[in-house]
Structures are given as structure tokens and as C-alpha cells.
Amino acid sequence: MDYKACASLPALLFDQAAANGERPVLWSKPGDAWLPVTWPDLARRVRAMAAALIAEGLEPGQRVLLVCENRPEWVIAHFAILSAGAVSVPAYTTNTASDHRHLLKDSGASAAIVSSANLGKVFLPEAAAAPDCHFVMALEPQEAPADGDVKILPWPDPATEVGDQTLVDERIANLKRDEVCVFIYTSGTGGTPKGVMLSHANVLANCVAAFDLLRSFGLENERQVFLSFLPLSHSYEHATGLCFALSIGAEIYYAQSVELLAANMAEVKPTLMTAVPRLYESMYQRILTGLKRQSPTKQKLFHKAVDLGTKRHAGERLGLLDSLQDKVLERLVREKVRQRFGGRLHCLVSGGAALNPEIGRVFQALGLVMLQGYGQTEASPVISCNRPDSVKMDSVGPPLEGVEVKIAEDGEILAKGDNVMLGYWNNPQATAAVIKDGWLHTGDVGHIDAEGRIHITDRKKDILVLSGGDNVSPARIEALLTMEPEIEQAYVAGDRQPHLVALLVASQAALDAHKEETGAAGDRETLAKDPAFQARLEAAVERMNAKVSVIERVRRFSVAPEAFSIDNEMMTPTMKNRRHVIKAAYGPTLDALYHRKAAE
């Protein structure tokens, strides 16, 4: 596939459909068996939906919100929107009603596509109230909202032509590489999601770079199998797990759930896997849990395999006895571990958040190639990745092909290339703040080593990146928490962790009310730790959690013994949290909250 000559993502899709004959491309497992969608069927269904969208009056450049689980229908709908010349606006299935409301209003979506009835219950009332949304196509029968007015249309049947498909060909022929094709919304520092405008060229640039990485393995001529489970609305999965996979004619299996991921891996036997650190952490914990049930001898063999593998990958020369043991352990331990991943993985790629280097080293020691990459939605999203012949676990590797990286005077990592976004939708001020003279200002601080590998040492921005790759604005959650009458101040943490925790300062008014109602005595710290008052705080946190998405919910909290103030340097003169000071002061308390969750 000549990516550089490819005019658009739909052109890429239809070129691949013509080249791959009757081969399967998408797989799902709604019941007991995996069901395929072939390349010709994919192309036919994309055309049918695109024609139906055009027949309903969808114009080039208009936005279409896509609310759908990971399944073949997501791919069909997404490429149908693009084939109609419109812009796809993927939404997370975990979005709340207010999240959908913001996306509909901010994007000015003219139409929407929704899959299941469950998703429709949350989404359709918002679509009906949105003045710009004229119709919704639904995969499953939907209950019309009581308020508002929106036309609900059935999912097009490819066997029944709706609309003129020649118009689809015309729309695709008129697409330009530098035109926007997708808005991927991400949280800004103020907590308001911004629409990142990505062009066909942006996404294709990541395909070019990913193919160069594949070529470094010598795998460019082998047919690959992907197992997809990250949300397709996430830029990482959209670019690597979907567009790149399609561009090389790979087969994509959609995992049934995270809980069934291990079973799906054994069935599918993927050759390549892109995931976030949280998945690898879970896999590692699952391996350790299984190991505890083994005999002491098998546990000893496992740890010896890790020890020798770590030494070998670090470049240490093994002695004769260790070399012989290493070969035996390859068969007794490492081969069995690889079978748990399906048995034919060429590599695991970690991105979306920082990978714990120790977990990466253990996987490497067990014979699984682990490559850590780096990027952000504004870069479509990948900027760099380790190479198989030069893996350094505490780095994110050298820049990808076609990407330039330099370090600013203040240490910020800057990137330039065809992968850099067009800008933020309807937000030129925010765009100008991050793209200067063509350089994307990533907000991350780091350095480049002598071998050209990027090392990230800090973050200039306060956005928390959970271990699952989700971005969360702590300022937004803190603001919502302090809206509850029981909470005066809040500090939210969770960077590189699986969930959010919080440090709360109880309001004096709530403490006084508790004192009066219960007759409790003591100072502020004693009252705040009273079990009855803790129950009040738990109720307040739960009220806040009901207003936000799953990833933004605070799972555990602790009460600070004193308020944040200018005097104790936990607040700035403008009354903002000094995050690094609070973190330094309460680090052990926050760590205990994570460990408490893990123990439970």
C-alpha cells in the first residue's frame, strides 16, 4: 500500500477491499462462535450506509456523532461517515448525558449514529434536544425520547439500496488529504473537552510510521492478526488498532470484554497487540496470581527464568551453567507464558500512558517483545516508539519516521510532522497556544539521549493520565467535589494509576452541623475522622460521582487534617492548589489509598 499516494482513509479502505478478495477482515463474537465480515461485505455495507446518509441530506464537512461499542458496526459507520464526505465524531460509550450534550453542542453535529438500546437511553434525549441534530441512525430499535424532536432511522440494509451510490464515489473522489476527517475529543487543562481536528493526512502519516516499525521486525510481508479492546473512540486505537491494521490488510478481532480478554487471546492468537499499561499490569498480576497456586519448584523455575532473561536482555554474558539453564527454562517456562498470549505474538506495544519499566523488563525476560511508545491525540497520536533492536524500558524510543522532535529551552518536548493535528475545533486561541511555527508543544518535559531516544521526566500540564490511557482533568473533578456542602477543598490524584483518589478538606459548616446533631466533641481533625461524618463525606463523593463518567469517579478518599492555605504553601496567592506541595506532603496517604483499593 502506497500510503503517501493514498488520497483519503476511505480510498485506502476500498483499495484494500479490492486487493484482498474474499478474505475476512473484521471478527466479532456475539454468541458462542466468532463471526467474520469479509472485505467485500465491509465495502458493501460502508457504501450502503454512506448512500443512506447522503440521501438524508448529509453534506460534506458536516459532523456526525458516533456512539457505538467496539464491533464491526463501529468501523462501518465511521467509514460511511467519511465516505459521505462528513466528519466523524466518536464518543465514548461511558459518556454521561452531559458529556453527550457538550459534544453535540460543541461539534454542531448534524446527525448521529447509535448502536444499542442501552446507549440510546442516555444519548437520544440529548440528541432530541440538540437543535443541529436532524436525524439518528440506530442499529437496534430505540424508544423515542418524550421531549424534543429527532428523526430515528433504522440501520441501512446493504441488500436494499437506499440513495444513489454513485454519489458516494463522487464524495470519495472529492476528498482531500489535508481535509479534516475526525474530531477526537480530549480534556484540556481547564477540564472542558476540546475537539482535536485530525485530517486524512494526519492519520495516514501514523500508518506510514507504523509500517516502518513493522518493517524493522521483518514482518511487512506477513498477514497480521490484531485483537482490539481499547475504545475505538480513543485516538490510539483509532490510528493503530483500526486504520493501520486495515492499511496492511490485517484481520481485526473485537474482544468480548476485558474480563474475557485472556480467553479471547487464546482463541484468536494475535500476532500484534497495542494496549495501555493498565492491561499489561493486569496480565502481570494474573500471572503472579496463577504462580502462587503452583508448587515451590515451579515458582523457583519462573523466578529463575525472569532473572536469567533480565540479565541476557541487559547485555550480561551468561556463564555455561546459566546458559544451559536458560535454554531449559525457555521450554519449561517462557514458552508456556507465551502460549497464554496466544503463542504467536511478535510484539506488545504499550502506549497511552507511562509503562512501569519493571513490568516491561519482566515481559521481555519471559520472551515477549515489549515496545513502549509515546504520543498524544494532537499528534494523531504516536510520536515515538522503541525499536525491537534497541529497547530501553525507561525511554519511549526515538521519533517515528516523518516526525521531528526537539527539546525547548525549558525542557518541553516539541514535535513536528504530518501527524500534527490541524488544530482544535472552534478554538483558535487554544490551537495557537500549543502549535507554534509548526511545532506541537506537548506539555511534557524530557530529554533525548545519545542514541536519540526520548525520555519523559515530568509533565508541564496537570492533566492526569490513568494507567488505562484515559485523560482526566483534576481541576474539573476538584471543582465538582467542592460544590458539595460537606467539602471545602479537594485535591485529586491518579496519574499513572488505575483510578482516581482524593484528599478532602471538610467544610467548617458541615463540621459544625455534625457537632450540633451528634454531640461529638474534638478538634477539626478528630471530628472529620468520626465514622458518622465520614459517612456524610462518602455520600457527598457519591453525589459527585453520579455527575461524571466512570473514569472520572473518585474511588477512595482521605481527609486532610488541615486546610490548604497560603501559610502552609499548599495554595498560591490566587487561591489555586500547589499540586506538587500537596503531593509531597500527603504522598504516603495517597499511596495508601491505592494500596487499599488493590488489597480489596
Side-chain angles (χ1 to χ4, degrees):
M1 173 64 65
D2 186 354
Y3 303 99
K4 295 177 182 177
C6 200
S8 67
L9 291 175
L12 180 149
L13 176 80
F14 288 110
D15 285 351
Q16 285 289 53
N20 280 282
E22 294 292 335
R23 291 193 181 102
V25 53
L26 306 176
W27 294 82
S28 61
K29 194 179 183 184
D32 295 331
W34 290 96
L35 303 178
V37 174
T38 65
W39 278 102
D41 191 30
L42 174 60
R44 185 165 51 249
R45 291 164 72 176
V46 168
R47 283 183 183 279
M49 177 166 269
L53 290 170
I54 294 170
E56 281 298 320
L58 187 68
E59 296 293 336
Q62 290 184 325
R63 279 74 61 201
V64 181
L65 208 67
L66 174 55
V67 187
C68 181
E69 309 87 349
N70 276 26
R71 56 198 291 180
E73 287 80 7
W74 196 103
V75 182
I76 293 161
H78 180 64
F79 276 91
I81 295 166
L82 304 188
S83 298
V87 177
S88 179
V89 185
Y92 287 101
T93 56
T94 54
N95 275 0
T96 63
S98 61
D99 293 327
H100 287 312
R101 192 181 314 132
H102 173 73
L103 263 62
L104 285 161
K105 181 180 178 181
D106 188 74
S107 69
S110 301
I113 296 172
V114 66
S115 56
S116 67
N118 281 338
L119 292 176
K121 287 178 184 177
V122 179
F123 174 72
L124 283 175
E126 302 307 321
D132 297 321
C133 189
H134 304 304
F135 67 90
V136 176
M137 282 187 176
L139 178 61
E140 295 179 4
Q142 304 283 339
E143 185 176 339
D147 299 322
D149 183 27
V150 66
K151 186 193 294 185
I152 302 176
L153 303 171
W155 194 273
D157 182 355
T160 305
E161 281 199 22
V162 178
D164 186 353
Q165 292 203 8
T166 61
L167 294 176
V168 178
D169 295 329
E170 291 178 12
R171 294 276 178 99
I172 294 172
N174 288 329
L175 291 173
K176 303 291 189 298
R177 281 178 64 94
D178 58 357
E179 288 178 345
V180 61
C181 66
V182 62
F183 289 179
I184 295 186
Y185 275 80
T186 186
S187 294
T189 55
T192 302
K194 297 190 289 291
V196 174
M197 297 188 293
L198 301 180
S199 68
H200 297 275
N202 290 152
V203 181
L204 287 168
N206 257 199
C207 291
V208 171
F211 183 75
D212 178 66
L213 190 62
L214 187 72
R215 193 162 45 206
S216 68
F217 281 89
L219 301 174
E220 65 270 25
N221 296 318
E222 292 185 18
R223 191 165 300 278
Q224 304 301 325
V225 176
F226 284 69
L227 179 59
S228 174
F229 71 95
L230 292 178
L232 282 162
S233 49
H234 193 292
S235 59
Y236 183 31
E237 191 67 14
H238 173 260
T240 60
L242 175 61
C243 294
F244 171 61
L246 293 176
S247 75
I248 60 173
E251 295 180 49
I252 307 172
Y253 287 75
Y254 290 105
Q256 292 172 282
S257 66
V258 173
E259 293 74 23
L260 293 173
L261 188 59
N264 290 164
M265 289 181 75
E267 296 170 331
V268 171
K269 297 178 172 54
T271 60
L272 295 172
M273 197 158 181
T274 56
V276 293
R278 181 58 184 157
L279 171 74
Y280 300 126
E281 291 166 7
S282 298
M283 289 178 171
Y284 176 64
Q285 290 299 329
R286 193 178 294 118
I287 290 171
L288 292 184
T289 300
L291 184 65
K292 289 177 182 178
R293 295 193 291 265
Q294 301 298 319
S295 67
T297 299
K298 288 187 176 180
Q299 292 184 36
K300 186 177 180 180
L301 290 173
F302 177 86
H303 292 301
K304 188 65 175 178
V306 171
D307 178 52
L308 293 178
T310 300
K311 289 178 179 177
R312 181 160 39 81
H313 282 286
E316 292 186 34
R317 186 172 180 179
L318 301 181
L320 179 59
L321 180 59
D322 280 348
S323 295
L324 291 173
Q325 286 183 321
D326 195 52
K327 289 179 181 179
V328 173
L329 292 169
E330 181 70 22
R331 182 173 56 84
L332 294 179
V333 177
R334 298 191 189 104
E335 188 175 318
K336 291 181 180 178
V337 171
R338 288 195 292 267
Q339 287 302 319
R340 296 188 65 171
F341 288 79
R344 56 177 185 175
L345 267 174
H346 296 304
C347 80
L348 300 162
V349 182
S350 178
L355 175 71
N356 183 331
E358 289 306 312
I359 290 179
R361 291 185 187 106
V362 169
F363 277 114
Q364 287 279 97
L366 293 172
L368 292 162
V369 178
M370 172 71 77
L371 304 181
Q372 180 172 205
Y374 163 65
Q376 53 188 220
T377 303
E378 291 85 346
S380 306
V382 189
I383 292 172
S384 68
C385 188
N386 274 281
R387 294 277 170 160
D389 59 347
S390 180
V391 177
K392 192 171 178 60
M393 285 300 169
D394 59 354
S395 86
V396 293
L400 295 184
E401 179 184 348
V403 181
E404 294 179 65
V405 171
K406 68 178 182 180
I407 307 299
E409 289 185 6
D410 63 356
E412 185 175 8
I413 299 168
L414 311 183
K416 179 189 278 190
D418 289 341
N419 61 322
V420 173
M421 68 172 180
L422 298 178
Y424 296 115
W425 168 250
N426 273 347
N427 201 335
Q429 185 175 1
T431 301
V434 298
I435 301 180
K436 302 172 185 177
D437 297 324
W439 289 94
L440 174 66
H441 290 239
T442 67
D444 293 311
V445 174
H447 67 273
I448 300 173
D449 66 22
E451 286 75 36
R453 292 179 293 232
I454 302 167
H455 296 253
I456 301 171
T457 56
D458 207 348
R459 297 179 66 80
K460 284 184 69 174
K461 51 190 179 181
D462 287 334
I463 291 297
L464 305 177
V465 181
L466 304 186
S467 60
D470 300 295
N471 288 3
V472 178
S473 167
R476 163 177 150 81
I477 308 304
E478 288 160 1
L480 290 171
L481 283 168
T482 54
M483 289 175 66
E484 301 298 331
E486 297 84 357
I487 302 170
E488 184 175 324
Q489 296 171 312
Y491 169 84
V492 171
D495 204 37
R496 306 184 185 187
Q497 298 292 339
H499 59 273
L500 298 180
V501 298
L503 190 66
L504 305 179
V505 175
S507 71
Q508 191 59 54
L511 288 169
D512 290 342
H514 173 67
K515 210 172 170 182
E516 183 176 336
E517 292 171 14
T518 64
D523 58 14
R524 181 187 187 94
E525 183 177 2
T526 302
L527 289 169
K529 290 183 177 179
D530 186 293
F533 189 80
Q534 287 277 316
R536 288 179 182 236
L537 289 177
E538 287 176 3
V541 172
E542 284 309 306
R543 289 197 300 271
M544 190 285 299
N545 282 341
K547 302 173 186 176
V548 299
S549 65
V550 174
I551 61 170
E552 294 174 304
R553 292 174 185 167
V554 172
R555 302 300 176 90
R556 293 288 183 274
F557 69 87
S558 186
V559 181
E562 63 175 340
F564 310 149
S565 68
I566 297 172
D567 290 340
N568 62 23
E569 298 185 348
M570 293 186 188
M571 298 201 79
T572 67
T574 55
M575 305 305 289
K576 295 179 182 177
N577 287 349
R578 288 190 186 273
R579 307 194 67 81
H580 66 288
V581 176
I582 297 172
K583 183 178 179 181
Y586 292 103
T589 300
L590 296 167
D591 287 342
L593 292 176
Y594 296 126
H595 295 150
R596 181 174 149 205
K597 174 65 178 176
E600 295 175 4

